Amino acid sequence: MKIYISSTYQDLSDHRSAVDRTLRRMGHDMIGMEQYVAEGNKPLERCLTDVRLADLYVVIVAWRYGYVPPEQPASGTLSITELEYEEAKKPPGKPILAFLLDPDTAWPTSRVDAMSAEPQRVEPRPGFNIARFRSLLGTNHLAGMFRTPDDVASQVAAAVAAQGLNRFMVDRVLVQTSVNAGAMGGFGEGVALVDSTIGGIKDMVAGAGSTRAIVVDLGEGDRWWSTRLFLLSSLLHALTGVRQLVFRDARSRFCGMASPGAILDRFAAAFPLCALFLTELRKGDASLDIEREMDRQLSLWASTHEKQGLAEGLVKVGVRAELLERLLGERLIARCIHVDAQGLTMAQVQQIVESPLPDVPIDRLWGDGPTVAHELQVVDRDSFALELAREWVRAGLPRNPIR
């Protein structure tokens, strides 16, 4: 990861050096770390540009507020450290890790704004700005408290390792395809299986390939017929590596996850025509050629309804979350892990590692209040656990002894 370390310079140079050495040993790239010679000589725009280029922002604060650059906008009086912090917060927002000097730590008075002999920096009273900034960081973030350079280096390493896991989770998600009924020529909504509709479903299945999970948009229960979800599951089961279908409602919220096999079994038990199709399908030999196997299944689907003299529209049911729960029962995974914009907590990391499911659904939340957005993902538990172990070893972090 590219990491930006923000702090005042002269009072925390030893702490910055310890953090820099530790993170470089972990294989991270440091941006703007010691490229600036001394406090007060850091060009503001370069600092803010470096913050924007970073993947992760780390702020370390003791008892000095720092240099207040005159070139900041709107005649502001923020220090360069706080300006960097504000830049990191700008949408879409970077992960921010904050560390504060423990108030009980002995500290030279020359390095405390309220006691320094240096002129105060446009403050209502001595030490006001640093007290306000520390309070701001402590309120907005779960800030770590440090005493020594080695202490802060260890804490930063642990926090960065946890952030590395969050990045790994995003990089290794299994959800790569979102299945929208309308995007396939209305396939899910029951549009007749003519060439244009068939072309859409063939493209989707071919595109799924080795994707191990896909998202199905149910909307308000008006986007997918039960018959078409069953047929989709049959094609995915036979022709792709898809292991899970993840369902979301009209507001993109998670409303369940199930394997194509589970949908085939439970829908066949509930709908006689689905059961008949499955029986006839298993009588024939499946083709190893994707195109021919898709043609075989689609042709058999049409003939099954023709033989029974029942139009598909007469036997379908609109699929909604409640119907899935009723039909699939215990085979529907109804719970997921909700992750906010700050990323995984260590408790959620443990939930993933200890999950009985090999594929763990994740609902990532972005934003606040009515503007919150949902992004559904699925994490491979075993790969995640392996990467977790590698991250701890790579970081050289202390681990609790086995009891």
Side-chain angles (χ1 to χ4, degrees), residues 149-220:
D150 287 342
D151 183 20
V152 70
S154 177
Q155 290 190 46
V156 171
V160 168
Q163 284 296 324
L165 293 174
N166 289 333
R167 286 173 57 83
F168 166 74
M169 185 194 79
V170 174
D171 293 342
R172 289 291 191 93
V173 294
L174 305 181
V175 176
Q176 298 176 7
T177 306
S178 177
V179 181
N180 182 286
M184 293 186 291
F187 169 82
E189 299 163 333
V191 171
L193 295 177
V194 294
D195 288 346
S196 59
T197 311
I198 291 174
I201 185 64
K202 284 184 175 181
D203 289 343
M204 194 286 300
V205 172
S210 60
T211 300
R212 295 166 67 185
I214 59 175
V215 173
V216 177
D217 291 307
L218 295 180
E220 299 288 356

Side-chain angles (χ1 to χ4, degrees), residues 52-199:
R52 290 190 289 268
L53 291 173
D55 299 311
L56 178 66
Y57 174 83
V58 176
V59 58
I60 304 171
V61 176
W63 294 111
R64 296 194 66 183
Y65 186 58
Y67 173 63
V68 177
E71 68 270 25
Q72 58 186 286
S75 301
T77 57
L78 299 182
S79 72
I80 201 163
T81 304
E82 188 165 2
L83 287 168
E84 290 168 346
Y85 170 70
E86 291 298 323
E87 186 68 27
K89 286 168 48 181
K90 288 182 179 179
K94 295 183 182 297
I96 295 174
L97 302 176
F99 300 88
L100 305 176
L101 180 68
D102 191 321
D104 294 332
T105 300
W107 199 249
T109 57
S110 61
R111 298 181 183 179
V112 179
D113 275 356
M115 302 178 186
S116 173
E118 295 182 14
Q120 295 300 318
R121 300 169 179 80
V122 196
E123 297 188 61
R125 60 182 182 274
F128 172 80
N129 274 330
I130 184 58
R132 175 190 56 77
F133 190 38
R134 283 175 62 96
S135 177
L136 175 68
L137 294 174
T139 300
N140 292 345
H141 308 279
L142 188 61
M145 292 289 177
F146 67 90
R147 289 177 173 269
T148 66
D150 287 342
D151 183 20
V152 70
S154 177
Q155 290 190 46
V156 171
V160 168
Q163 284 296 324
L165 293 174
N166 289 333
R167 286 173 57 83
F168 166 74
M169 185 194 79
V170 174
D171 293 342
R172 289 291 191 93
V173 294
L174 305 181
V175 176
Q176 298 176 7
T177 306
S178 177
V179 181
N180 182 286
M184 293 186 291
F187 169 82
E189 299 163 333
V191 171
L193 295 177
V194 294
D195 288 346
S196 59
T197 311
I198 291 174

Side-chain angles (χ1 to χ4, degrees), residues 140-334:
N140 292 345
H141 308 279
L142 188 61
M145 292 289 177
F146 67 90
R147 289 177 173 269
T148 66
D150 287 342
D151 183 20
V152 70
S154 177
Q155 290 190 46
V156 171
V160 168
Q163 284 296 324
L165 293 174
N166 289 333
R167 286 173 57 83
F168 166 74
M169 185 194 79
V170 174
D171 293 342
R172 289 291 191 93
V173 294
L174 305 181
V175 176
Q176 298 176 7
T177 306
S178 177
V179 181
N180 182 286
M184 293 186 291
F187 169 82
E189 299 163 333
V191 171
L193 295 177
V194 294
D195 288 346
S196 59
T197 311
I198 291 174
I201 185 64
K202 284 184 175 181
D203 289 343
M204 194 286 300
V205 172
S210 60
T211 300
R212 295 166 67 185
I214 59 175
V215 173
V216 177
D217 291 307
L218 295 180
E220 299 288 356
D222 55 352
R223 295 185 184 177
W224 280 90
W225 286 7
S226 54
T227 49
R228 292 300 171 89
L229 183 57
F230 176 84
L231 178 56
L232 173 68
S233 299
S234 179
L235 293 169
L236 293 175
H237 184 71
L239 300 172
T240 72
V242 171
R243 302 196 312 196
Q244 302 291 347
L245 296 179
V246 185
F247 301 99
R248 63 185 176 192
D249 62 17
R251 295 175 60 186
S252 297
R253 297 174 302 185
F254 175 84
C255 57
M257 182 177 80
S259 68
I263 294 172
L264 290 178
D265 292 343
R266 300 308 300 157
F267 276 44
F271 304 110
L273 274 178
C274 290
L276 180 60
F277 168 79
L278 207 54
T279 299
E280 294 299 318
L281 183 67
R282 290 168 177 169
K283 288 180 180 179
D285 295 327
S287 173
L288 297 178
D289 181 81
I290 293 179
E291 185 80 13
R292 285 198 293 271
E293 178 60 20
M294 291 183 69
D295 288 338
R296 182 178 83 94
Q297 292 207 23
L298 293 170
S299 176
L300 182 58
W301 181 257
S303 64
T304 299
H305 288 80
E306 290 174 2
K307 289 178 182 178
Q308 297 301 309
L310 289 173
E312 191 178 347
L314 298 177
V315 295
K316 60 86 177 176
V317 177
V319 180
R320 59 194 187 283
E322 296 81 4
L323 178 67
L324 282 176
E325 186 176 350
R326 187 186 316 158
L327 291 178
L328 296 175
E330 294 182 353
R331 299 190 69 175
L332 178 71
I333 307 302

